[in-house]
Amino acid sequence: MPGVAIVTDSTADLPEELATRLGITVVPLNIFVDGRTWEDRVSMMPDDFMMMTSGETLPSTTAPTVQQFARVYEALAQDHDQILSIHISSRLSGTCASATEARNLFLDGPEITVIDTGSASMGTGLIVKQVAERAQCGAEIGQLTALVENLQARTHVIFMVDTLEHLRRGGRIGRAAEIIGSVLQLKPILTIEEGIVVPQARTRTRNRAITGILQLIEEVPIIESAAVLHTAGSNDLGLIVETLIRKTGDQDLIVSEISPVLSTHIGPRGLGVAFIEGEMA
Amino acid sequence: MVSRNTSSDQNSTSNSLEFNWDGQETTRALRAVVHGFEANVSSINALNVFPVPDGDTGTNMHLTLKAAISELDNHPDGQPERYDEVMKVITRGALMGARGNSGVILYQIISGLNTGASGAEVLDSETMVRGLNSAAELAYKAVTNPVEGTMLTVIREVASACEKHPGETLLETLATARKAAEVAVAATPDQLPVLRQAGVVDAGGQGLLAIFTALEQFASDDLDTTGMTLVSDPPASFATDMHFLDQAEMIHGMDEFGYCINFAVAGDDLESSGLRAALDALGQSTVVVGDATMCKVHTHSNRPGLILEAALMFGDIHNVRIDNMRSQTEQLLSERHAVADGRKEPAAPTGDPESALGIGIVAVAAGDGVSEALTGLGADVIVAGGATMNPSTGEIRDAIASLNREQVIVLPNDSNIIASARQAAELSDVDVRVVPTRSIQQCIGALTAFNFDAALDDNVAAMEAAAGDVRALAVTRAQRDAVIDGLEFRTGEFMGVLDGKPCVSGSDAVSTVRHLFQNASVQNHELATIFIGDSADETLEETIVELLEQEFPDLEFEVTTGNQPHYDLLIALE
């Protein structure tokens, strides 16, 4: 197959059907629970995961191995000269590092470009989606990397966690220390900025957190594309979905369940949005 | 060796009525005022409008006065000789020691007297009038919305009476002042409906009256001719525990000694310095005042017998009075301990260089659980204190300084602490803003709204708005019988307080909290955060949560151990 092969990782939270349709190869991260290894979104799906982690045992997560990437690249190299590998923020995961190591193994092979989106979940997913669509239309690698760069600056992820327990157990993610010390319940609104998780605002009830996210969305003049994200148990996505459909005009708004790997840090009943801001005229 | 006379009157045999006060005499007068005031603390405390455990005006004014005097004790150059110097020193002490609204206004009054003292070697009638006028002026300026029927009215009436009828002597002017204060205090219930309703006079005004009464008594006492006039009859307007002892006593310190010992030593050629040295070695807070024929002694000791034995070496002893201070101070001590138990060390540095540059937050709180909750929400340092123990301006300023930040937000968490927080802010070298939170509940709202990345002004605005969105519910016990808006409260019974106002009375905590929730338009709120106080019954937590969850199914409840004193429950409705 001619053209550029597009690779991402499981934390991009792309719906499987979409990835298949756009010919995107998804490399899974890994989860360890009770001495067993599971592949994110492959051998463990979001639903299984929440059941498994309700107990005391803390799951741990790792980036795809160099070997995992190498096998994927090797397979793709059979019929592609160029591979564009687009991933979760290198400040949140070792995924980009593994991909880069794997790329360095191919001395004479395909031209592999690894890109750190500085984002996560559908923040990465929305970028990958647009790039894959353009790749299918025959765009060249230079155009695609320029597109990623352009989209990165306009991509935002805003989410809330329903419990601080998982951020606490997972250790510090970015500046989570500002919120995890509380005795009283907090429903913080978080964003990803410059590749790390940053508390955006603190609220004390779920409704206020959702209202806060809605307000932040409303403040954006134009939203080009968007997706709604959630972990298990979030039944109150209605208002956010409605608002984003209104703002994007996209009746087929993507509602994506966050991968087990990210859920490890977010916990149940987390929800959020990823969107790409429209370019100013 | 002490004479009531100024130096030029050394040989005068007339009584002290016509004498002005130099620095030394003013200092003695001030000590007498502090002591005289102490006897009134509890009766002034009892004059609170609502029978809730709240800002004790008597305690606050007393501690502010004590702080003013102790500045004099710690003065590096010894006791100043000049009146204006004394006033300068005590003004500084009152500033740092001001507690509560009444303390802050008292500081303004002292500061006004200091302004009037400028250039005055001695305090005479004219200087007093000048000082009272600036005192009234400054006190009014210090309050954003001056209300009549308070200590402001009293100081203004005193100033105006003394201006119209200045005495020829200081004593006459002080007598005019005291009389004017009496009339003004008695009129406060007519000016302020809440006072009338509660059947009390204004506590701060009563405190001023205590001060002017003590000043007049000090001035009229005649040590030289009669030796001892230990007890004067209390003015009729005072509560029964007004027992103004004499002019030479030091206040009770919070030392570990159990007895307050007062007596006189008479002799032909008394060596007062030797007597003072001997008693100093045996007792605490020792004061010896008098001349070669008669000295008065006040000291604290666990062994009163030893003190008396030692004094016998110098002369005959008379008028011995020994009081057990422990019983008097036990209650205050236990209150203080309760507050001190809630004291938190400043949060350890996080090592995050960004946070060192950020905005620091100082919050006032009592109870370790409450303090921990506020710290978890982002308060960097907790100043121990609250409704019943207002921290001083100096304590708040020190907390601000301890943060070492360029920008600091102070959350006073009690309406009676806002003024001293503002004063502390003014005294600080860094940019300090006071978000005028009136309760711990409001503080939770304010802290939640704090944004680490936002600018100081934006944070202050957001925190003020968020504090206003929180309803503050509390359950406590009535401190006295009272009728408020037709509701009867009996001492010791439960009372429900909504946004600072008592509105529910009940015989048990559970029914009280239930009625309180019914009064609070719960449907507009999502979350009730409940702090269990240290006086609460052990089963209360379980009982109320079960009941409230059943009755208010749409409301989310979060219960935590607050260990706050006096309030069985503090509830924030968000």
Side-chain angles (χ1 to χ4, degrees):
Chain A
M1 201 194 286
V4 182
I6 306 299
V7 176
T8 190
D9 59 78
S10 57
T11 66
D13 292 338
L14 282 173
E16 202 178 344
E17 161 279 321
L18 183 74
T20 309
R21 176 158 56 83
L22 293 175
I24 300 164
T25 308
V26 179
V27 181
L29 279 76
N30 305 295
I31 305 159
F32 297 97
V33 191
D34 288 334
R36 280 195 65 182
T37 305
W38 308 82
E39 291 191 329
D40 193 32
R41 285 188 179 277
V42 178
S43 55
M44 184 180 289
M45 300 309 283
D47 286 348
D48 314 327
F49 176 71
M50 277 306 163
M51 280 165 58
M52 294 199 61
T53 55
S54 52
E56 287 293 298
T57 322
L58 309 182
S60 60
T61 62
T62 62
T65 60
V66 176
Q67 189 186 41
Q68 280 174 288
F69 271 115
R71 282 184 183 155
V72 167
Y73 293 157
E74 203 171 21
L76 290 170
Q78 302 296 315
D79 41 19
H80 293 84
D81 296 333
Q82 292 166 320
I83 298 170
L84 187 50
S85 206
I86 304 171
H87 300 288
I88 181 173
S89 165
S90 59
R91 296 176 77 182
L92 294 175
S93 163
T95 301
C96 278
S98 285
T100 305
E101 282 296 304
R103 180 198 67 187
N104 292 343
L105 296 174
F106 294 84
L107 295 172
D108 309 315
E111 181 192 331
I112 304 170
T113 308
V114 176
I115 296 185
D116 170 4
T117 59
S119 190
S121 185
M122 277 302 290
T124 302
L126 289 173
I127 294 173
V128 172
K129 174 175 174 275
Q130 279 207 28
V131 169
E133 282 165 354
R134 293 282 287 279
Q136 279 194 330
C137 299
E140 290 173 7
I141 182 80
Q143 294 172 305
L144 295 178
T145 53
L147 176 64
V148 175
E149 219 167 280
N150 173 294
L151 293 175
Q152 263 181 308
R154 297 187 277 128
T155 302
H156 304 277
V157 176
I158 306 171
F159 63 107
M160 60 92 58
V161 297
D162 196 74
T163 161
L164 300 176
E165 196 48 39
H166 294 252
L167 281 176
R168 238 176 235 148
R169 294 198 304 201
R172 286 182 64 164
I173 299 179
R175 285 165 41 202
E178 290 168 11
I179 48 170
I180 60 176
S182 180
V183 186
L184 301 180
Q185 72 171 30
L186 279 179
K187 312 278 182 186
I189 300 173
L190 306 157
T191 60
I192 298 176
E193 278 168 31
E194 293 176 1
I196 59 168
V197 175
V198 175
Q200 161 80 28
R202 304 185 295 175
T203 73
R204 299 217 47 229
T205 67
R206 183 176 181 87
N207 277 344
R208 287 196 191 162
I210 293 174
T211 309
I213 292 174
L214 285 170
Q215 267 170 7
L216 290 169
I217 297 171
E218 291 290 3
E219 283 167 14
V220 183
I222 307 165
I223 293 180
E224 197 174 281
S225 63
V228 176
L229 324 163
H230 66 97
T231 56
S234 291
N235 310 315
D236 41 10
L237 304 171
L239 266 181
I240 291 184
V241 170
E242 242 169 66
T243 307
L244 283 176
I245 288 177
R246 173 165 52 77
K247 293 216 56 145
T248 58
D250 178 3
Q251 294 300 323
D252 302 319
L253 186 83
I254 298 170
V255 177
S256 184
E257 197 159 5
I258 293 172
S259 75
V261 164
L262 292 181
S263 297
T264 305
H265 300 283
I266 292 169
R269 296 181 306 283
L271 61 83
V273 296
F275 61 89
I276 295 174
E277 216 179 327
E279 269 180 301
M280 289 307 196
Chain B
M1 177 75 185
V2 170
S3 159
R4 297 295 306 277
N5 306 0
T6 56
S7 52
S8 60
D9 298 319
Q10 279 291 331
N11 301 318
S12 168
T13 51
S14 63
N15 67 29
S16 64
L17 299 191
E18 62 205 53
F19 301 135
N20 300 321
W21 295 349
D22 63 2
Q24 304 259 344
E25 191 68 355
T26 305
T27 303
R28 282 189 286 277
L30 290 169
R31 293 198 198 292
V33 165
V34 175
H35 186 80
F37 197 94
E38 187 177 23
N40 290 281
V41 166
S42 60
S43 61
I44 295 172
N45 283 348
L47 294 175
N48 53 1
V49 170
F50 295 142
V52 294
D54 65 0
D56 287 332
T57 304
T59 305
N60 284 335
M61 291 180 78
H62 183 227
L63 291 175
T64 304
L65 283 172
K66 274 174 83 165
I69 297 291
S70 66
E71 189 80 8
L72 215 44
D73 293 335
N74 302 328
H75 195 52
D77 307 330
Q79 309 280 303
E81 294 290 332
R82 294 171 57 97
Y83 169 66
D84 55 357
E85 284 167 8
V86 169
M87 290 312 293
K88 210 159 112 186
V89 175
I90 69 157
T91 302
R92 169 82 190 162
L95 169 64
M96 298 312 297
R99 280 169 208 266
N101 295 335
S102 57
V104 170
I105 294 171
L106 181 55
Y107 152 70
Q108 300 291 350
I109 290 170
I110 291 173
S111 176
L113 291 171
N114 178 43
T115 307
S118 173
E121 198 174 331
V122 296
L123 173 62
D124 55 18
S125 173
E126 204 180 308
T127 309
M128 190 71 207
V129 172
R130 199 166 58 231
L132 287 171
N133 278 325
S134 2
E137 198 182 316
L138 271 181
Y140 269 86
K141 270 191 199 155
V143 180
T144 330
N145 300 306
V147 173
E148 294 302 333
T150 63
M151 58 194 290
L152 293 179
T153 315
V154 174
I155 188 67
R156 189 196 58 214
E157 291 296 316
V158 165
S160 137
C162 291
E163 170 114 36
K164 277 185 207 138
H165 311 287
E168 283 184 12
T169 63
L170 178 60
L171 172 62
E172 283 169 23
T173 303
L174 288 174
T176 307
R178 191 261 309 154
K179 280 179 214 145
E182 256 175 25
V183 173
V185 168
T188 56
D190 300 329
Q191 292 162 307
L192 206 51
V194 286
L195 296 176
R196 190 164 57 244
Q197 197 177 27
V200 295
V201 296
D202 180 66
Q206 183 79 339
L208 282 184
L209 174 55
I211 291 171
F212 284 114
T213 305
L215 283 170
E216 186 196 7
Q217 287 185 340
F218 180 82
S220 63
D221 246 347
D222 191 352
L223 192 78
D224 290 334
T225 52
T226 62
M228 300 295 140
T229 308
L230 274 182
V231 182
S232 307
D233 284 337
S237 66
F238 275 99
T240 47
D241 60 351
M242 170 80 190
H243 56 284
F244 188 70
L245 262 179
D246 68 11
Q247 61 273 34
E249 293 198 31
M250 182 81 170
I251 52 169
H252 292 324
M254 292 302 293
D255 54 43
E256 73 269 34
F257 294 95
Y259 298 94
C260 173
I261 305 136
N262 294 276
F263 56 93
V265 185
D268 290 334
D269 193 10
L270 274 179
E271 233 193 293
S272 61
S273 59
L275 177 64
R276 187 178 294 119
L279 298 181
D280 253 343
L282 293 170
Q284 182 91 359
S285 310
T286 303
V287 181
V288 176
V289 175
D291 56 24
T293 58
M294 182 77 83
C295 282
K296 286 168 67 183
V297 173
H298 164 99
T299 189
H300 297 172
S301 169
N302 282 332
R303 311 281 300 273
L306 287 183
I307 298 282
L308 296 176
E309 283 294 326
L312 276 173
M313 310 281 285
F314 293 84
D316 304 332
I317 58 176
H318 300 268
N319 298 54
V320 178
R321 216 194 75 209
I322 300 170
D323 290 325
N324 185 334
M325 290 191 297
R326 260 191 208 125
S327 53
Q328 295 169 10
T329 53
E330 242 160 23
Q331 197 194 340
L332 183 59
L333 273 174
S334 73
E335 270 179 27
R336 283 203 176 168
H337 285 151
V339 172
D341 286 343
R343 194 184 296 271
K344 295 276 288 185
E345 293 302 317
T350 57
D352 183 350
E354 255 177 78
S355 69
L357 301 170
I359 300 167
I361 301 179
V362 173
V364 180
D368 52 7
V370 172
S371 300
E372 196 188 339
L374 301 188
T375 307
L377 288 177
D380 296 294
V381 58
I382 303 291
V383 176
T388 51
M389 189 64 197
N390 300 151
S392 71
T393 301
E395 283 167 2
I396 298 172
R397 190 207 55 170
D398 292 348
I400 293 168
S402 76
L403 288 176
N404 216 3
R405 307 273 177 100
E406 293 291 309
Q407 298 180 318
V408 175
I409 290 171
V410 180
L411 300 163
N413 302 337
D414 189 282
S415 54
N416 205 28
I417 303 177
I418 295 170
S420 31
R422 290 213 162 110
Q423 214 161 41
E426 272 177 37
L427 287 170
S428 296
D429 302 328
V430 295
D431 195 353
V432 183
R433 307 296 168 85
V434 176
V435 173
T437 46
R438 288 162 190 281
S439 59
I440 291 296
Q441 295 92 318
Q442 287 198 334
C443 183
I444 287 164
L447 281 174
T448 306
F450 178 70
N451 184 336
F452 290 80
D453 295 324
L456 185 61
D457 286 332
D458 296 340
N459 262 318
V460 168
M463 290 167 87
E464 278 185 21
D469 287 341
V470 180
R471 298 215 79 179
L473 285 62
V475 173
T476 183
R477 327 254 171 126
Q479 302 291 294
R480 60 174 170 79
D481 291 351
V483 177
I484 295 159
D485 291 338
L487 256 175
E488 202 178 326
F489 297 93
R490 266 191 301 223
T491 311
E493 280 198 342
F494 286 91
M495 61 194 301
V497 186
L498 181 59
D499 295 329
K501 199 162 182 235
C503 65
V504 173
S505 69
S507 53
D508 63 289
V510 175
S511 70
T512 307
V513 80
R514 189 158 150 236
H515 285 131
L516 197 52
F517 268 78
Q518 284 162 350
N519 279 8
S521 49
V522 169
Q523 64 277 9
N524 300 329
H525 297 88
E526 298 169 16
L527 173 66
T529 307
I530 304 175
F531 290 96
I532 309 284
D534 63 3
S535 55
D537 194 82
E538 273 175 30
T539 58
L540 183 60
E541 177 169 347
E542 216 173 302
T543 331
I544 57 158
V545 172
E546 199 175 312
L547 175 101
L548 292 173
E549 276 178 345
Q550 207 167 19
E551 198 143 331
F552 306 99
D554 293 336
L555 204 57
E556 199 180 329
F557 292 91
E558 187 176 22
V559 187
T560 184
T561 306
N563 283 336
Q564 69 276 6
H566 304 297
Y567 284 87
D568 294 44
L569 300 170
L570 290 176
I571 302 162
L573 261 192
E574 292 175 79

